[in-house]
Amino acid sequence: MLHCRNLLSKTLKAKRKKKNKKRIKEKAGPSAAKNGSKHSRIQQTVYPLEEERMDEGFNLKTSAASSNHGVQPLGNLYLSSSPHNSRDSGLGNLRILNDELVLEILGLLDAARLGVLATVSRSLYVFCSHEPLWRNLVLETLGGGFLFTGSWRATYIVAHYPDFDVSGAAGGLIVRDFYSDYLFQSWLCASLEMTPEWLQRDNIPRRRGISVEEFILDFEEPNKPVLLEGCMENWAAMAKWERGYLVETCGDVKLSVGPVEMKLEDYFRYSDQVREERPLYLFDPKFAEKVPILGSEYEPPVYFREDLFSVLGDERPDYRWIIIGPAGSGSSFHIDPNSTSAWNAIIKGSKKWVLFPPDVVPPGVHPSPDGAEVASPVSIVEWFINFYDEATKDWKKKKKKPIECICKAGEVIFVPNGWWHLVINLQDSIAITQNYVSRRNLLNVLDFLKKPNVNVLVSGTRDRASLHEKFKTAIEASFPGTIDHLLGKAREKAAQQEENLPFWESVADSKAGAFKFSF
């Protein structure tokens, strides 16, 4: 959950036009008008006109929702002239529950009961208007067959009660003296712009026109990311993949969007209007089978032509995706599936990347011991607010600092196997990504596929338990001696590394877990 103390600790200096001062004072309340603290300035950033911008700290998007029903961060309560929190008084006996639990209970209700409960009190009105509740109801009842109408609640009402006029209810009611970090953070993360501090670092190596041999020697073998330029110039997709062309080409074909499937035209209608913390992301692994012409309008860059998983034919795990999403959408920290490496090519838009090496778990990210699950902040922007400073603190002194870059249209990023990475779209974006296995990471993949909890770890295929044996057999049949050759090279490399170890590391007995002297 967003810790508003982190946000409130930042000094936000805003230049206000005189004509807006009265409006700000009225909406911020009397305590903010007389109190010049950081807390009151944050309170003011929730309510000013959308076109107002802040010179330092956080900025709100010009497209940010105009209302969050008046919810304020909890810190504002302690500076208010009144100790009253309408959140508690309107919940009755439920006030002892935290906000997450209240919303979890409300998530058990259908739309009709949720609507009725919203009339009971101002507090329940705010809780029952929480957009993720209505998003779940839309996706559960309509699947991908919805036409987004400005908000999830309005979308549900229009779909089920077409005669009901929702045009006047876009902003909803404003509830005074309602304080909640949890409810505030969802609106805040959906409304914040990426700050210059989050975008300025760019320390990834960039290469244009290098040979395949150079790529392997400098990046693939040492398992290091690189941004490649000039790899997509002959792609038909670069010229043709405009919105109109894609909508016409895909027609009524439904593509994977989160938990549902949608027509591309309907998805664009949604992505044009949506302003939420975690926008739905179009991420389809079967797009080339569904719309074959799209699969023919690009090709893997020359550096990634060797893909050993291809020996499995149609039985290989999912490996290529078309990715479409609005600004603010993206993927939170993860490691690519099945120990594969990947490349990601931007056709339209731009993306911010943050990558950590395999032995450095990003701050705020908590993988389970077996690697099957990852706990992380609710949204990408929340991670930036709460953990980016920690990740980049003393950046120049860090030996294992994150790799950061902005990847733009026409550029390809190589993501080595095992690297943690986060991606957020800075603009409406279209991209292609593929995961692959080359000789450089074949042994890693084979080792991964035979782990004890393979049924949980392996993804993109139903045949998880026997995938290792199938893949190994197919490699030996197609490339006889390759595995033995790679194992031999790995043993030689390990022996060489052991010879080069400092003395006190070389005398450590890894099997016994203690030191032994070898004089």
Side-chain angles (χ1 to χ4, degrees), residues 122-169:
R122 290 180 297 171
S123 181
L124 284 170
Y125 169 80
V126 173
F127 276 101
C128 292
S129 299
H130 192 51
E131 277 285 273
L133 294 174
W134 292 95
R135 169 168 146 162
N136 291 340
L137 288 170
V138 169
L139 299 182
E140 288 170 4
T141 58
L142 300 174
F146 64 89
L147 296 177
F148 195 74
T149 315
S151 72
W152 287 107
R153 183 172 58 169
T155 299
Y156 184 93
I157 294 172
V158 168
H160 292 85
Y161 307 98
D163 295 332
F164 192 89
D165 182 13
V166 296
S167 59

Side-chain angles (χ1 to χ4, degrees), residues 368-372 448-458 464:
S368 60
D370 63 359
F448 181 88
L449 295 180
K450 65 179 181 181
K451 287 189 175 183
N453 56 339
V454 67
N455 285 325
V456 177
L457 291 178
V458 172
R464 300 176 179 181

Side-chain angles (χ1 to χ4, degrees), residues 467-479:
L467 184 60
H468 172 268
E469 193 59 35
K470 281 186 177 181
F471 185 38
K472 183 179 178 182
T473 301
I475 288 291
E476 290 174 339
S478 300
F479 305 99

Side-chain angles (χ1 to χ4, degrees), residues 359-373:
D359 57 339
V360 180
V361 178
V365 176
H366 306 282
S368 60
D370 63 359
E373 297 180 356

Side-chain angles (χ1 to χ4, degrees), residues 107-126:
L108 302 174
L109 304 180
D110 60 24
R113 289 177 172 83
L114 201 61
V116 169
L117 193 60
T119 67
V120 172
S121 69
R122 290 180 297 171
S123 181
L124 284 170
Y125 169 80
V126 173

Side-chain angles (χ1 to χ4, degrees), residues 19 140 228 362:
K19 65 180 181 180
E140 288 170 4
L228 301 164

